[in-house]
Amino acid sequence: MWDVTVIEDSAAAAVSLDPTRSRLLAELAAGPASAAMLAGRVGLPRQKVNYHLKALERHGLIELAGERRKGNVTERLMRATASSYVISPLALAAVQPDPAGFRDQLSARWLLALAARLVGDVGTLITGAVKARKRLATYALDGEVRFASAADRAAFVEELTQGVGALIAKYHDEDAQGGRDHRIVVALHPTVKTPDKTPEKTPEAIEESS
């Protein structure tokens, strides 16, 4: 089972987005199970679960993990092919964003278009690497920075642009025989705040704590 895999086929994407099938995928990502086992978990008849499982298996989202005898019946134990899934923009090829259509380094929508291309490109590379049984050489950096002011943020962007530009100029060799082009994407955006999980105090609790 892969940690994450990319869905590139539009039909497979449609199958995965069905709420019931998405729930079944989540159950099977946690461990192998039969249709009878899943029926009790999701509250559906076994025949209905089998119908959904066949659709997921047909599109490569789940696979056979083994079989077991239960009385006079042989149950098929299915498992998800990945712990999680990402739908590639290639699944909507006709309307996928094209970063080359416009270029605005301060546009959130251009950043989104770049991110979509990144998902599509890396998904295609992963698929090719798996077929070729080769390791895919990639690198990613993830971090957070808190700016004291908008001026500091602007200064950071300027230094980052100059620093990355200098590295590209230093190592880029247009005439390298046998060299391979690599794409560099650097993004900066506000951190998305996670919802506060702290339970709200009831009026009685507020009175007791005051």
Side-chain angles (χ1 to χ4, degrees):
M1 178 189 291
W2 302 104
D3 292 330
V4 60
T5 194
V6 179
I7 299 173
E8 297 179 330
D9 179 68
S10 58
V15 166
S16 70
L17 290 173
D18 176 88
T20 299
R21 293 167 182 172
S22 179
R23 170 75 187 281
L24 292 172
L25 268 180
E27 291 289 343
L28 293 175
S34 66
M37 295 165 63
L38 292 167
R41 298 178 191 174
V42 301
L44 289 174
R46 180 178 58 82
Q47 293 83 353
K48 193 71 173 178
V49 171
N50 255 326
Y51 168 77
H52 290 304
L53 292 180
K54 287 179 180 178
L56 291 169
E57 184 179 15
R58 186 164 57 249
H59 292 284
L61 301 174
I62 64 173
E63 61 187 4
L64 182 66
E67 296 179 337
R68 71 174 184 179
R69 292 285 296 180
K70 191 174 183 180
N72 296 325
V73 178
T74 299
E75 290 188 331
R76 302 176 79 228
L77 296 174
M78 307 303 295
R79 66 184 175 195
T81 54
S83 298
S84 57
Y85 300 84
V86 174
I87 296 178
S88 169
L90 294 177
L92 293 170
V95 291
Q96 65 176 315
D98 180 15
F102 68 104
R103 183 182 180 89
D104 182 355
Q105 290 179 305
L106 300 180
S107 167
R109 298 188 185 280
W110 189 61
L111 173 57
L112 188 61
L114 288 176
R117 184 182 64 188
L118 180 64
V119 171
D121 287 352
V122 175
T124 299
L125 290 169
I126 288 175
T127 300
V130 170
K131 290 180 179 178
R133 296 184 179 181
K134 292 184 177 181
R135 188 174 182 274
L136 181 60
T138 61
Y139 168 77
L141 177 65
D142 181 35
E144 289 190 28
V145 56
R146 175 175 292 187
F147 299 110
S149 65
D152 283 351
R153 182 185 183 280
F156 176 88
V157 169
E158 180 65 25
E159 288 187 42
L160 182 64
T161 301
Q162 292 178 0
V164 174
L167 283 173
I168 292 174
K170 178 179 179 180
Y171 288 100
H172 178 64
D173 188 344
E174 187 70 34
D175 302 319
Q177 295 295 323
R180 183 172 184 179
D181 292 338
H182 285 67
R183 184 177 296 283
I184 300 169
V185 178
V186 180
L188 177 68
H189 63 80
T191 302
V192 177
K193 295 182 179 179
T194 55
D196 187 3
K197 301 296 183 180
T198 304
E200 294 184 4
K201 290 185 177 181
T202 61
E204 294 81 1
I206 294 174
E207 290 177 2
E208 290 176 1
S209 62
S210 60

